[in-house]
């Protein structure tokens, strides 16, 4: 099979699955689940084929033409795209398999798996797109499918509100993204990624990196702020946990939220130092803010949601850490570090979300970690795999997260001491809240009826956990054949410390892990009350209010500013547009028509008088009296 055919099959297989389910199988939940999972298996296999062959694909066709303007759609599958295809395809397939067990008794199973398929189609479109216009088309489809999946339990008001919130907040970022695309086309005459790279890097006559205005990368970054939930557009992600847990794993851990980082790496040639500095600080602030919010959460999925926010901030900061050095090599190092952490994070965060789903399923949908406890013996497979995920995210030596996190810390230490300090403290908090959650869920005695009747999940749910746990161990250094292929994408880009710098980063990494994990282990007893709230109520309330502050600000803005502005526009529309202009002119025309209608009385004598009057007026006009 030639590469273009493989790419077409890769992209349209999940679309075909979603179409068949939507048109013919809406009441056939079991069959729909297997068709969707089969489509995900095909995507995973084709992704692996592209990875192993290492073949680049560049093909496009004109989709739309208006005079001199033409819009092409096509494929750009290079090393970076193959890396992302592996993440989306393989992790997506495992999540489909997990969903077979998790959603087994759901009455709307067909709609759920149809939504998964349309999401896979949309996400794959972003990965293989060869232009900013094509990325934007699939970018919006991802937003639609995310809304559909978050809103799966639409009979719950909280789920309906969360889906609307995610949709609206992402549209804010997408508006900036669209403005950036339009500005890019206006300045360069194209949005094709390959052509843009040649122009900006000066390989086409008249092109130069100096042509790039700072506003272009910052507007394009707005799209990443929405999809990757960076401050201040981060408020939708924690609420999105209202969707089923496999949705949280697929969309809000491994793929959709990573689309923003992938898009930034795709357009790294458009970056300028001023924009990179802004990006790096937004990422760093998001990382520490989300980590502080995670400390006071009780819901196991909300903890992982804020953890995802924090890790996404790590990736954004890594990408932007070329800000203090304008050399192309430093920008490339930021791309390498960000993508490296994106891949390892996809493994261990998908593992943690699916592990939390196994815990919730085993505890009969209990999500409060203070109402769990003692699950280590009741759910041994989930406990073991979840432990590996926790160890990976806190940077346990030689697990996947250890290498990728250290690459980011080294880049920060080399380029920005303040950001290095922020990210180091964030790493301490990560160890703290993850070990807090791990201890309260799996150790001590059971603290609720739900936990006392917990049971291990079936093979369809535990097998993906085992595979993701293996990837969380060897995901950065794995000896099997696929990893040298993937490593080739980032080996030349990931910053590597040597000598004293290597020792410093190693010691810092181990120290922050030990300090954070040790503090959580000794501070939190396995009881049904939050030790932080009990022992440090002021600090707890401060962190809690900090978590709610952004929602309060947005609520105030919508209620007091936006709503009143909308009322003012409505008043202007009613008085001036609808009233004065439309109804006023209509009234004037009606009055004129009423007068002219009054002339038609059906009396011959009256018509003769009007005729004579008209003759006199015409004579007066022709003689110049008027």
């Amino acid at each position: 099979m030639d590469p273009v055919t493989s790419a077409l099959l890769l992209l349209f297989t999940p679309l075909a699955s979603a179409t068949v389910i939507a048109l013919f199988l809406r009441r056939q939940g079991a069959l729909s689940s297997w068709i969707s999972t089969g489509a995900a298996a095909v995507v995973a296999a084709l992704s692996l084929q592209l990875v192993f062959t290492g073949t680049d694909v560049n093909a496009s066709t004109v989709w739309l033409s208006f005079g001199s303007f033409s819009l092409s759609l096509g494929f750009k599958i290079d090393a970076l795209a193959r890396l992302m295809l592996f993440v989306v395809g393989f992790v997506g397939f495992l999540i489909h398999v997990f969903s077979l067990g998790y959603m087994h008794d759901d009455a709307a199973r067909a709609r759920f798996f149809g939504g998964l398929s349309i999401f896979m189609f949309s996400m794959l479109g972003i990965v293989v797109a060869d232009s900013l216009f094509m990325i934007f088309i699939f970018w919006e489809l991802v937003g639609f499918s995310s809304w559909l999946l978050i809103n799966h339990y639409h009979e719950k008001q909280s789920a309906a509100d969360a889906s609307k919130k995610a949709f609206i907040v992402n549209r804010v970022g997408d508006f900036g993204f669209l403005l950036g695309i339009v500005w890019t086309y206006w300045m360069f005459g194209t949005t094709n990624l390959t052509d843009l790279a040649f122009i900006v890097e000066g390989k086409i006559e008249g092109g130069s990196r100096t042509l790039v205005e700072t506003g272009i990368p910052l507007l394009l970054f707005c799209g990443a702020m929405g999809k990757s939930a960076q401050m201040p557009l981060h408020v939708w992600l924690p609420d999105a946990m209202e969707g089923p847990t496999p949705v949280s794993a697929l969309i809000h851990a491994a793929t959709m939220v990573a689309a923003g980082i992938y898009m930034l790496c795709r357009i790294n040639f458009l970056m300028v130092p001023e924009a990179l500095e802004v990006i790096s600080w937004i990422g760093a602030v998001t990382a520490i803010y989300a980590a502080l919010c995670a400390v006071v959460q009780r819901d196991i999925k909300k903890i992982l949601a804020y953890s995802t926010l924090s890790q996404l901030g790590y990736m954004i900061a890594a990408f932007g850490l070329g800000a203090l050095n304008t050399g192309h090599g430093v920008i490339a190092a930021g791309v390498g570090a960000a993508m490296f952490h994106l891949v390892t994070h996809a493994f261990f965060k998908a593992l943690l979300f699916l592990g939390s789903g196994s815990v919730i399923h085993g505890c009969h949908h209990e999500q409060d970690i203070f109402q769990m406890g003692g699950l280590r013996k009741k759910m041994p497979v989930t406990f073991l795999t979840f432990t590996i995920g926790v160890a990976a995210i806190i940077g346990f030596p030689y697990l996947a997260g250890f290498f990728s996190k250290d690459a980011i810390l080294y880049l920060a230490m080399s380029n920005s001491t303040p950001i290095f300090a922020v990210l180091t403290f964030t790493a301490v908090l990560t160890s703290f809240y993850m070990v807090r959650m791990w201890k309260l869920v799996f150790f001590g005695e059971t603290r609720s009826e739900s936990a006392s009747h917990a049971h291990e999940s079936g093979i369809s749910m535990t097998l993906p956990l085992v595979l993701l746990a293996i990837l969380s161990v060897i995901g950065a250094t794995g000896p099997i054949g696929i990893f040298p292929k993937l490593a080739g994408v980032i080996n030349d880009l990931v910053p590597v410390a040597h000598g004293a710098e290597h020792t410093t980063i190693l010691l810092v990494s181990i120290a922050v892990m030990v300090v954070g994990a040790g503090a959580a282990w000794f501070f939190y007893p396995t009881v049904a009350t939050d030790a932080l709230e009990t022992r440090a109520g002021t600090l707890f309330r401060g962190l809690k209010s900090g978590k709610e502050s952004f929602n309060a600000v947005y609520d105030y803005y919508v209620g007091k500013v936006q709503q009143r502005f909308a009322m003012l526009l409505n008043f202007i529309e009613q008085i001036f547009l609808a009233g004065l202009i439309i109804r006023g002119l209509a009234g004037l025309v009606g009055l004129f028509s009423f007068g002219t209608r009054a002339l038609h009385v059906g009396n011959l004598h009256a018509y003769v008088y009007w005729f004579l009057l008209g003759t006199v007026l015409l004579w007066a006009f022709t003689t110049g009296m008027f």
Side-chain angles (χ1 to χ4, degrees), residues 58-301:
N58 284 284
S60 65
T61 184
V62 176
W63 180 56
L64 206 58
S65 292
F66 292 108
S68 61
F69 171 80
S70 63
L71 177 59
S72 297
L73 300 181
F75 297 130
K76 180 180 173 64
I77 302 179
D78 54 8
L80 189 65
R82 288 194 295 272
L83 180 65
M84 194 67 182
L85 282 175
F86 171 73
V87 173
V88 175
F90 192 70
V91 176
F93 170 64
L94 293 181
I95 291 170
H96 274 75
V97 173
F98 182 89
S99 300
L100 292 174
Y102 191 87
M103 304 297 291
H104 182 267
D105 297 323
D106 194 287
R109 221 182 346 166
R111 173 161 52 84
F112 173 81
F113 278 95
L116 286 187
S117 288
I118 196 66
F119 173 81
M120 290 289 286
F121 165 70
S122 307
M123 190 65 206
L124 291 168
I126 292 176
V127 176
V128 302
D130 71 337
S131 70
L132 289 174
F133 273 128
M134 184 173 172
I135 288 177
F136 186 76
I137 292 170
F138 285 97
W139 198 266
E140 295 305 297
L141 283 173
V142 164
F144 162 73
S145 54
S146 173
W147 167 83
L148 183 66
L149 289 167
I150 296 170
N151 197 35
H152 180 72
Y153 301 125
H154 57 84
E155 65 278 0
K156 291 172 55 181
Q157 188 60 44
S158 57
D161 291 342
S163 64
K164 288 187 289 186
K165 187 175 185 179
F167 191 84
I168 293 170
V169 172
N170 272 276
R171 297 295 74 71
V172 174
D174 293 353
F175 179 68
F177 187 30
L178 180 60
L179 291 178
I181 293 172
V182 172
W183 192 351
T184 302
Y185 182 82
W186 178 77
M187 176 162 283
F188 298 105
T190 183
T191 62
N192 182 273
L193 297 172
T194 303
D195 293 344
L196 281 172
F198 273 94
I199 294 171
V200 172
E201 293 172 2
K203 296 177 182 178
I204 293 179
E205 186 176 355
S208 171
R209 183 177 293 277
T210 58
L211 289 174
V212 182
E213 300 281 351
T214 304
I216 291 177
L218 288 179
L219 283 172
L220 295 174
F221 175 61
C222 287
M225 288 177 67
K227 280 289 185 289
S228 294
Q230 296 299 288
M231 292 176 68
L233 300 182
H234 65 284
V235 293
W236 67 270
L237 185 60
D239 291 354
M241 296 302 108
E242 291 291 339
T245 300
V247 171
S248 302
L250 179 64
I251 295 180
H252 310 122
T255 56
M256 173 182 160
V257 291
I261 288 91
Y262 174 77
M263 184 269 290
L264 290 177
C265 295
R266 258 295 187 231
I267 61 169
N268 72 90
F269 50 82
L270 289 173
M271 293 295 156
V272 295
E274 295 80 7
L276 285 168
E277 189 159 14
V278 173
I279 291 170
S280 64
W281 273 109
I282 289 176
V285 171
T286 302
I288 193 168
Y289 166 81
L292 289 169
C293 290
V295 171
V296 296
Q297 298 300 308
R298 299 175 65 99
D299 187 310
I300 187 171
K301 288 176 65 177

Side-chain angles (χ1 to χ4, degrees), residues 303-319:
I303 296 170
L304 294 176
Y306 280 106
S307 172
T308 299
L309 275 178
S310 185
Q311 296 301 306
L312 290 169
Y314 247 83
M315 299 173 210
I316 293 289
F319 176 81

Side-chain angles (χ1 to χ4, degrees), residues 105 115 156 308 320 367 389 407 425 444 461 483 488 510 569 577-578 588 596 617:
D105 297 323
K156 291 172 55 181
T308 299
Q367 295 186 200
F425 183 58
M461 296 173 65
F483 291 102
I510 294 175
L569 291 179
L577 183 61
L588 183 63
T596 55
L617 290 174

Side-chain angles (χ1 to χ4, degrees), residues 31-55:
L31 182 57
S32 297
S33 64
W34 284 106
I35 289 176
S36 180
T37 304
V42 171
V43 169
L46 291 171
S47 300
L48 290 175
Q49 178 195 9
L50 289 170
V51 169
F52 279 119
T53 59
T55 304

